[in-house]
Amino acid sequence: MLLLLDVGNTRIKWAVLEHEVFNSDALKTTMPGHWLAHGSVPHQAMDTLQKVWQEHAHVISRIVISNVAGKVVREKLQAMLLHLFGEKVSLEWFASTSQLAGVRNTYANPAQLGCDRFATMIAAHALFPQHPLVIATCGTATTIDALTAQGEFVGGMILPGLGLMAISLAKNTAQLPNVAELSDLALLPSHTFADNTQAAIQAGCLAAQAGAIERAVTQHVIAMQEPVLCILSGGAATYIAPYLSVQHQVVENLVLIGLQVAAG
């Protein structure tokens, strides 16, 4: 069996599954449901994963990890995995390359592209083949990447995520409140212009996120001369999606799906 790990800036997402090769048609219907188990924990709860994975330890033969959380988290996670599974299990750290699973990485230095971004593009291209795409991953940071229908990476942008925008306002202004909790955003009124400070911050942050995504889609449509599908993922995707005026679809766990496609 295969254990997939998406180690982000704040959370660790994981999935256990049978190691099988999936084509694009199978991905559309069986990928999410084929996971035997999956979950997500914040970094500070990493140690709890040992107990969660213990029941699968005897059948897991391969582990594939996307890590963007840095060296310290990588070393701690690696020590935990080796302690739990031993050296008999293949441990692979996913990295960006110039080409993989139908996606061509045109970054000036292909290895410099975040491995999580590369994984999301692989997943999106596998799930929506022959479609030009804009993939927006809305987490601690928001990354927005453009792909051609043939899987060529056009380029991307990175901006502070929804929470970071609100935190930045709270830290760098004397009289603005901290409204960084995503749960607060559910209370945001539907109109654009707010009549109180908290709602105004929320409206501004959401407008900035939605505006960046919509601009990316508009520019990609001009370049491709055909409709572009926008794919959203990440913890803040469901908050941003209602404010988009472009065609879009929310897909959970894109990095894990990309790792599975790449592992096949």
Side-chain angles (χ1 to χ4, degrees):
M1 287 189 184
L2 183 64
L3 172 62
L4 305 174
L5 297 177
D6 168 18
V7 185
N9 289 301
T10 57
R11 301 189 69 82
I12 298 172
K13 298 180 181 180
W14 60 274
V16 174
L17 61 153
E18 297 282 355
H19 188 191
E20 297 180 14
V21 177
F22 289 84
N23 59 41
S24 59
D25 290 333
L27 277 167
K28 293 177 185 177
T29 57
T30 67
M31 173 65 75
H34 195 78
W35 293 342
L36 301 178
H38 68 280
S40 174
V41 299
H43 283 188
Q44 57 268 33
M46 182 190 301
D47 291 341
T48 64
L49 290 173
Q50 293 191 72
K51 184 177 180 180
V52 173
W53 293 336
Q54 186 65 52
E55 62 181 291
H56 305 289
H58 65 292
V59 292
I60 289 174
S61 59
R62 185 180 178 192
I63 303 171
V64 182
I65 308 166
S66 165
N67 173 46
V68 297
K71 183 179 178 181
V72 173
V73 173
R74 172 176 171 144
E75 290 177 349
K76 181 178 179 181
L77 183 60
Q78 180 167 299
M80 187 179 79
L81 291 170
L82 289 175
H83 173 75
L84 183 60
F85 297 102
E87 295 189 2
K88 67 181 185 298
V89 174
S90 171
L91 186 61
E92 304 168 28
W93 296 91
F94 181 75
S96 297
T97 59
S98 58
Q99 188 162 336
L100 183 64
V103 173
R104 190 163 77 88
N105 177 1
T106 58
Y107 236 36
N109 177 358
Q112 194 178 48
L113 176 68
C115 61
D116 56 339
R117 292 170 65 192
F118 193 42
T120 62
M121 285 187 274
I122 289 172
H125 183 62
L127 290 168
F128 305 97
Q130 303 306 313
H131 285 276
L133 302 170
V134 165
I135 303 117
T137 303
C138 311
T140 304
T142 295
T143 61
I144 307 171
D145 296 305
L147 275 181
T148 68
Q150 293 73 39
E152 181 173 332
F153 173 43
V154 175
M157 62 179 77
I158 304 173
L159 60 151
L162 204 51
L164 279 182
M165 282 188 171
I167 288 171
S168 178
L169 280 171
K171 284 186 175 180
N172 294 288
T173 54
Q175 299 184 40
L176 294 182
N178 186 351
V179 292
E181 290 295 328
L182 291 180
S183 58
D184 293 341
L185 296 167
L187 305 176
L188 185 64
S190 59
H191 50 75
T192 300
F193 301 108
D195 60 2
N196 65 83
T197 301
Q198 178 167 315
I201 293 172
Q202 294 169 342
C205 292
L206 279 164
Q209 298 286 317
I213 294 168
E214 289 174 353
R215 177 176 173 79
V217 171
T218 298
Q219 294 301 311
H220 200 31
V221 168
I222 292 171
M224 296 295 99
Q225 292 295 298
E226 62 178 309
V228 169
L229 179 59
C230 178
I231 308 301
L232 297 184
S233 191
T238 55
Y239 297 101
I240 296 168
Y243 297 89
L244 292 176
S245 59
V246 296
Q247 180 186 8
H248 62 274
Q249 186 167 334
V250 177
V251 181
E252 299 295 337
N253 297 315
L254 268 184
V255 173
L256 293 177
I257 295 173
L259 292 179
Q260 183 174 1
V261 174

